[in-house]
Amino acid sequence: MALQMSSNRIHMFISSFIRESSNVKDPDSLLLSLIKIVQKFINCEWIAILDKDLNVRKSDLNDIKIEQDLLEMIKWSMEKMSPTSLVKDQSTTLVFPLMKTNKVLGVLLAKTEEEPVFEVFELISTLAFLSAVVLENLDLYRSLEKQHAIVEETMNYMRQIFNSFPQIVVVLNSQLNPVFSNLQYLEREKEPKLVEAIEKVARNVLTTGSRQVKEVESEGTFYSLIAEKIEYEGETQVLLSITDVTNTKELERLKEIDKLKTDFVASISHELRTPLAAIKAYSETMLSSLNDLDKDTLSDFLQTVYKESLHLESLLDELLDFAKIEQKAMVLDKVRFDLTELIKEVTQSMSELAKSKNVRLEQDTNGPIFIFADKKRIRQVLINLISNGVKYSKENHEDKFVKVSTKLNGTSVVVSVSDNGIGIPQEYQQKVFEKFFRVGSALDYRTEGAGIGLTITKEIIELHGGKIWLESRVDEGSVFYVQLPLGE
Amino acid sequence: MELQEILLKIDELPTPDPIVQRIVSVASDPNASAKDLAQVIKLDASLTARILRLVNSAYYGLPRKIVALNEAIMILGFKTVRNIALSIFTYSSVVKNKKSTVDHYQLWKHFIGTAVGCELLAQMVGYPNKEELFISGLLHDIGKVALDYIFPEAFAAVTKLTKNLQISFMQAEEKLNLPNHPIISGKMIEKWNLPEIVVYSASGHHAPNNFSESVYSDVVAIVHIVDFLINLMRYGDSYTYGGLTLSSFALNVLGIKPSFLTNLTEKLRLRLIEAEDFLKIEQEVS
Ligand SMILES: [Fe+2]
Ligand SMILES: [Fe+2]
């Protein structure tokens, strides 16, 4: 009978504990409900809960007096982790340590005038045990929340650091979706070329499992991409750091120009030295053997000296023009003239040179084309393009030609100079117009002159508001197109 | 010898005297007060004196001297006072068995060591009912005492075998075709009307793995671990000289690592010094 009653009370007690404790969110309200439940089972003068430093955390009565002998028993109870009770002047104070796995969190005190039976000790003891479990879980929950806040803060801190980087930092998951990135990435995530490059390089990392490096140009900026595999929560992801290397590229270009300038000085000295050496040698011979030379030989020698000095002059002119371009000092002297006539004149004057190389010079024009331009400069352009065609003809080819054609196109004319020479490799087709560039030494290109002819040509054409471009295939020949506005 | 025969003989064993039996039953009566329990104990003056002596021993380390039984019960709790009474009774049944030549003092030391260790380990792993574990430890090998009572020759044969072959008590029992002592321990504890927790933790102490699905798996694990440690520390003598193994299952049940055992051993050494009064229960009480 007694046992039956007891199990009913335990059932009641457990269910009220669960009801009360399932809704608590903080330790204070748990302690409050703990006090309420104890009051249900035993009539108490007061109930108090002390923390482990014996400060009153919660009680249903203010100004609770804890006397010395009770204090001693509380300390004993906490040290031995055993509940106890102190009888004094008709009343009993029950002492229940709140503990969890060898750790005391506090103590529950209940002062009563009733004489507690065994069951009361058992119930409160169980209650103290359950409360300690809930309390510890609440503590755990709070420390978890705190930890969460710390993680959040750390994330912000890291993000700030990443945002201060000049580099773009982005992490892609295995589906190539960004899972982490800094501001620099967000600013550029709409650039299709960059995004495409990022995905491509990330895919390579995922398939090869090794570090990948790539360079890409997007919207006028050069980027260097470094992608690496990282593991996060069992997933393979790709970390990319992307650096804007545009300035580095510019520097590289300036360095290249510097090198070209040095090469240019070296080659130009050589070019100037050749005619000078001939002039010097012939003059010396004539001076030392003036009496022994007959008139024909002398005339022949002088002819050579004259020819070489003309060559020297043209080289110096070229250099002078180039200097003008460098200083942006070239001025056009425009007149109205017939372009067809000029082409005819130039091809005739160059027939000697062409013949010496066994090259046919052809002109394919239809009637006069009047143009308002600097005649002298346009002549220079024609000479340059035709002489290039002759110069870069194939040495042992049977039927070599250079052909000049014109085509009217509304308010402009396109002059094309085509040949069946050695051609220009794809990779040099843009560079031939650059300052100091010579397809020179590395290739089977026999070059003469300062190597600045095409640069000057381009400059002259552009000063006229025109355009120059080329089409070429190695071993088949080249076509240079010059488009000029007719003017006036 | 058959288990059945032994069990029949168990009935002939001295049951706790009526006062101890009443102490056990009052200490588990939900409606009993401290006064009710005190009144039962007071019927035996010698028991009362011995209880008060142990209450004031270093093992409980109370801040002041307790002179009244009622106060002792209020301060230490019903179960602890019951434990003391049971210890005193068990001591008498172990040590005062004049029929046998076994060193009963060493066996008693094994009992008290295991009891103290079980209460300590229960507290360390946060088990809420550590007082019951004291009794589990105290009585886990009580089956050995029963054997000594009923067949002192058989007990002597077992101890000879364990010593010579360096094997465990259980292994010797099996060799001699004797029923296992944990089973007899369990039967005896049941007869004494002690809680089921005590019955199962004692009867399972050599086979914690068999209790994997049981609600008693943790208490069985506690007794198993402490029995192993006490034997290892050579505290007393349980007539087991080898062949004892520590079940890793028991460690897992309690969620403890082997390194925890070092810590437990250190604490247990100190506790055992404080528990010395339990070894000299027969001393005259002044
Ligand atoms: Fe055993
Ligand atoms: Fe044992």
Side-chain angles (χ1 to χ4, degrees), chain A residues 2-3 5-6 72-73 76 80-87 92 101-102 115-119 121-122 129, chain B residues 27-33 35 59-64 74-76 78-79 123-126 128 130 267 271:
Chain A
L3 274 168
M5 197 178 84
S6 173
E72 274 178 2
M73 285 320 295
W76 179 85
K80 299 282 173 184
M81 300 188 184
S82 299
T84 186
S85 53
L86 189 71
V87 185
T92 306
T101 51
N102 217 22
E115 195 188 328
V117 293
F118 176 62
E119 184 181 51
F121 286 99
E122 289 290 279
F129 173 75
Chain B
S28 59
D29 176 355
N31 295 311
S33 69
K35 271 181 199 137
Y59 186 67
Y60 298 108
L62 285 167
R64 60 203 170 97
M74 288 303 279
I75 284 180
L76 292 179
F78 288 58
K79 284 185 194 164
Q123 178 181 309
M124 284 172 78
V125 298
K130 61 177 178 175
K267 287 204 166 107
R271 270 321 255 155

Side-chain angles (χ1 to χ4, degrees), chain A residues 98-129:
Chain A
L98 302 173
M99 59 200 174
K100 177 78 208 305
T101 51
N102 217 22
K103 200 173 91 191
V104 178
L105 309 171
V107 65
L108 171 94
L109 303 177
K111 190 171 185 183
T112 177
E113 308 251 303
E114 281 180 23
E115 195 188 328
V117 293
F118 176 62
E119 184 181 51
V120 170
F121 286 99
E122 289 290 279
L123 285 180
I124 301 181
S125 182
T126 310
L127 179 65
F129 173 75

Side-chain angles (χ1 to χ4, degrees), chain A residues 377-389:
Chain A
R377 292 294 180 195
I378 298 300
R379 181 201 312 262
Q380 203 179 336
V381 166
L382 290 169
I383 290 172
N384 180 263
L385 292 178
I386 294 166
S387 65
N388 273 347

Side-chain angles (χ1 to χ4, degrees), chain A residues 47-62:
Chain A
I47 298 171
I49 291 162
L50 276 53
D51 64 19
K52 63 178 191 305
D53 303 315
L54 304 181
N55 305 307
V56 178
R57 272 286 296 273
K58 204 100 213 160
S59 70
D60 57 359
L61 186 81
N62 293 329

Side-chain angles (χ1 to χ4, degrees), chain B residues 110 140-141 144 169-170 181-182 185 202 205-206 227 231 238 240 244:
Chain B
H110 176 70
H140 76 286
D141 274 346
K144 291 182 185 173
F169 205 93
M170 276 266 280
H181 71 274
S185 297
H205 78 271
H206 285 302
D227 179 47
N231 275 301
S238 71
T240 274
L244 263 196

